[in-house]
């Protein structure tokens, strides 16, 4: 066994699996993993996107990221479950607690993925492969959901190994196994090769990871620059990024976006869409005990023209009305009356809310923050639709939109190459 040993642990269909496990523990007789089911959006209006899907849903060609409306067209009997981010964080934390029993170096890669540095831990535990099976089975038996574990000498190969076959599996791709296990895979399977990069590679006859690995690096650099060097190294199984200890999810920002079911052509409806996004984002800020110091707004027209704008705040806030007013001002200064089909809002530069600085010169939102907290309590107890603003009556818009934690909220794997 090589000196360096890295595990990549990935929860299978995380959101849906965690929902299923929780519901079974609460006495529900239906296991969502055994039927066509998805997590995402609003089940009552079928607005939003698919965040996670069951294996049965995959048989209907339902894709992560597609609209709920499209998914329901493919499978009329599809079960839709709204996301529960508090539950997902608890499940993620529980998984990390088990992993930390096997190594002091555990790095979160996302809410459902971790790297574990097992180098030298053979002195305390069994053979790494046997230990991986033990970890996998403990998570399954103690927490009620399954994971895939990939094993190799670096993070890149461990992650690629974990993706080979799912669910509930342990795989290895050690350097000597790269030609047999990784090179035959389609180029799209390589980490950091997205749709645009894949198109450029395929246009030059590079269809598999092996063809990229054996391609002339000088030619790769001509049309992919430094990113080409990165993926060429990855194709050859080279990665020197260390497993960095990180026991908590450091949220850097929160954001929501929505595709609107009709063209928004007037300012009032546009402001309502922004409000529906702010309602969700600000509630998540308060739930996480965070304040935001930067507000960003974005939109895309029906002709796919995109624009965005942001503003730094004098005082950090989690107040719904305050964030909404700022977002509306940003929007008004950016919009040229084009019909809109997609809008997004993001808050970042977050800080803890244990010290709140009120403004001496602006509006005092202290009373509105108290109202926000009261509304949060009501919605937590009776559901998100228990109380909403009258402005949404007969508007055709949902009063709370989105809720997706964006990928950049979590640290990405970095390479020194």
């Amino acid at each position: 066994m090589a000196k360096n040993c890295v595990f990549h642990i990935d929860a299978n269909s995380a959101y849906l699996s965690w929902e299923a496990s929780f519901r079974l523990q609460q006495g529900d007789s239906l296991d969502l993993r055994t039927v066509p089911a998805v997590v995402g959006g609003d089940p009552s209006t079928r607005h939003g996107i698919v965040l996670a899907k069951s294996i049965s849903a995959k048989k209907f060609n339902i894709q992560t990221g597609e609209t709920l409306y499209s998914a329901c067209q493919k499978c009329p009997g599809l079960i839709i479950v709204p996301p529960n981010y508090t539950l997902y964080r608890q499940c993620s934390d529980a998984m990390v607690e088990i992993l930390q029993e096997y190594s002091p170096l555990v790095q979160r890669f996302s809410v459902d993925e971790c790297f574990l540095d097992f180098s030298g831990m053979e002195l305390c535990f069994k053979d790494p492969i046997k230990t991986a099976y033990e970890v996998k089975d403990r998570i399954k038996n103690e927490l009620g959901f399954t994971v895939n574990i990939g094993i190799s000498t670096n993070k890149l190969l461990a992650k690629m190994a974990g993706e080979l076959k799912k669910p509930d599996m342990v795989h290895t791709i050690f350097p000597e196994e790269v030609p047999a296990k990784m090179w035959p895979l389609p180029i799209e399977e390589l980490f950091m090769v997205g749709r645009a990069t894949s198109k450029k590679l395929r246009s030059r006859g590079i269809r598999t990871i092996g063809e990229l690995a054996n391609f002339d690096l000088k030619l790769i650099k001509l049309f992919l620059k430094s990113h080409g060097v990165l993926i060429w190294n990855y194709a050859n199984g080279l990665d020197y990024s260390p497993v960095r200890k990180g026991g908590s999810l450091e949220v850097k920002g929160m954001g929501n976006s929505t595709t609107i079911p009709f063209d928004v052509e007037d300012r009032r409806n546009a402001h309502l869409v922004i409000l529906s996004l702010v309602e969700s984002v600000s509630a998540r800020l308060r739930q996480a005990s965070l304040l935001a110091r930067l507000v960003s707004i974005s939109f895309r027209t029906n002709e796919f023209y995109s624009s965005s704008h942001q503003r730094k705040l004098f005082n950090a806030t989690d107040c719904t009305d305050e964030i909404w007013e700022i977002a509306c001002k940003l929007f008004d200064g950016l919009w040229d009356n084009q019909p809109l089909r997609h809008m997004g809002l993001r808050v970042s530069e977050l800080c803890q809310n244990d010290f709140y600085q009120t403004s001496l010169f602006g509006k005092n939102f202290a009373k509105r923050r108290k109202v926000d907290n009261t509304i949060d309590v009501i919605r937590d107890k009776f559901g998100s639709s228990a109380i909403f603003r009258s402005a949404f009556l007969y508007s055709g818009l949902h009063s709370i939109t989105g809720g997706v934690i964006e990928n950049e909220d979590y640290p990405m794997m970095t390479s020194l190459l």
Side-chain angles (χ1 to χ4, degrees):
M1 191 63 67
K3 182 178 180 181
N4 291 332
C5 187
V6 177
F7 290 5
H8 173 259
I9 303 92
D10 182 13
N12 301 135
S13 301
Y15 287 179
L16 188 116
S17 184
W18 291 339
E19 285 284 352
S21 298
F22 176 74
R23 290 172 182 239
L24 290 173
Q25 292 168 8
Q26 300 302 309
D28 196 328
S29 59
L30 177 64
D31 188 339
L32 293 173
R33 293 168 290 195
T34 64
V35 296
V38 299
V39 172
D42 182 1
S44 61
T45 62
R46 296 184 176 182
H47 288 165
I49 62 172
V50 174
L51 302 177
K53 58 189 181 296
S54 65
I55 293 176
S56 298
K58 291 181 182 179
K59 297 177 181 177
F60 290 88
N61 196 33
I62 293 173
Q63 304 294 322
T64 300
E66 76 172 291
T67 65
L68 289 181
Y69 178 81
S70 172
C72 290
Q73 293 287 97
K74 295 177 180 178
C75 179
L78 185 68
I79 297 175
I80 304 171
V81 179
N84 180 349
Y85 295 103
T86 301
L87 169 65
Y88 306 156
R89 181 155 188 154
Q90 291 171 346
C91 291
S92 179
D93 289 342
M95 180 173 70
V96 169
E97 286 182 12
I98 290 179
L99 298 181
Q100 288 173 336
E101 295 181 25
Y102 293 87
S103 173
L105 277 178
V106 176
Q107 177 185 350
R108 293 204 201 232
F109 182 57
S110 68
V111 70
D112 60 343
E113 292 181 73
C114 292
F115 288 102
L116 181 151
D117 192 340
F118 198 74
S119 305
M121 300 306 296
E122 298 93 333
L123 299 174
C124 302
F125 299 98
K126 306 171 186 176
D127 171 84
I129 296 177
K130 291 181 179 178
T131 303
Y133 275 101
E134 179 182 316
V135 172
K136 177 183 74 69
D137 292 340
R138 278 194 62 189
I139 291 173
K140 183 177 181 179
N141 296 330
E142 296 177 24
L143 303 182
F145 59 88
T146 63
V147 298
N148 259 44
I149 298 182
I151 308 173
S152 191
T153 56
N154 61 45
K155 290 161 71 175
L156 179 276
L157 289 179
K159 180 171 175 60
M160 292 297 297
E163 299 289 336
L164 286 178
K165 185 179 179 182
K166 297 182 178 182
D168 198 22
M169 304 285 283
V170 173
H171 299 288
T172 65
I173 298 183
F174 293 110
E176 63 272 16
E177 297 177 305
V178 167
K181 290 187 175 182
M182 198 169 83
W183 282 0
L185 298 175
I187 192 63
E188 292 80 10
E189 297 294 320
L190 182 63
F191 180 66
M192 293 299 287
V193 173
R195 186 179 302 173
T197 302
S198 168
K199 187 176 180 180
K200 291 179 181 178
L201 292 171
R202 284 189 171 272
S203 69
R204 290 163 174 83
I206 302 173
R207 297 159 296 178
T208 66
I209 296 176
E211 288 174 343
L212 172 60
N214 292 284
F215 206 81
D216 189 335
L217 178 57
K218 292 180 181 178
L219 297 178
I220 293 289
K221 289 172 66 176
L222 289 177
F223 64 94
L224 288 178
K225 306 298 188 294
S226 61
H227 184 67
V229 177
L230 176 70
I231 62 173
W232 184 88
N233 278 295
Y234 282 175
N236 282 284
L238 303 175
D239 172 42
Y240 304 104
S241 55
V243 177
R244 295 183 175 88
K245 186 174 182 179
S248 62
L249 292 172
E250 182 184 351
V251 181
K252 296 182 180 179
M254 297 181 181
N256 286 337
S257 63
T258 183
T259 299
I260 309 154
F262 55 86
D263 283 353
V264 170
E265 299 178 322
D266 62 277
R267 201 170 303 276
R268 179 182 180 278
N269 274 329
H271 286 184
L272 281 179
V273 174
I274 295 171
L275 178 58
S276 70
L277 294 169
V278 174
E279 284 273 17
S280 178
V281 171
S282 60
R284 282 162 49 205
L285 278 174
R286 294 187 291 271
Q287 185 182 56
S289 300
L290 295 172
L291 303 172
R293 289 177 288 208
L294 186 73
V295 176
S296 308
I297 190 77
S298 64
F299 61 75
R300 186 166 63 243
T301 70
N302 61 353
E303 295 181 351
F304 302 101
Y305 174 76
S306 298
S307 297
S308 63
H309 198 24
Q310 65 183 29
R311 177 181 296 177
K312 185 79 172 282
L313 310 185
F314 288 110
N315 298 296
T317 185
D318 61 3
C319 176
T320 300
D321 283 350
E322 186 173 5
I323 295 173
W324 179 53
E325 286 188 14
I326 295 165
C328 287
K329 289 178 181 177
L330 289 172
F331 173 81
D332 290 345
L334 192 64
W335 187 48
D336 290 331
N337 298 310
Q338 315 99 313
L340 304 178
R341 290 307 305 269
H342 186 91
M343 298 183 71
L345 175 121
R346 178 173 170 78
V347 294
S348 53
E349 294 193 14
L350 307 184
C351 60
Q352 296 295 319
N353 71 351
D354 49 0
F355 179 78
Y356 180 78
Q357 177 68 52
T358 58
S359 174
L360 295 175
F361 305 104
K363 293 182 181 179
N364 187 346
F365 288 93
K367 291 184 178 179
R368 299 191 195 183
R369 293 182 77 232
K370 291 181 180 179
V371 172
D372 286 338
N373 291 326
T374 302
I375 291 173
D376 289 343
V377 171
I378 295 172
R379 286 174 175 165
D380 286 343
K381 188 173 183 178
F382 300 105
S384 60
S385 59
I387 182 170
F388 61 92
R389 298 171 188 253
S390 61
F392 288 99
L393 281 172
Y394 312 115
S395 68
L397 297 168
H398 199 276
S399 58
I400 302 178
T401 300
V404 179
I405 299 178
E406 299 178 354
N407 290 334
E408 58 260 41
D409 292 348
Y410 306 102
M412 295 295 289
M413 181 168 69
T414 58
S415 176
L416 302 181
L417 301 176

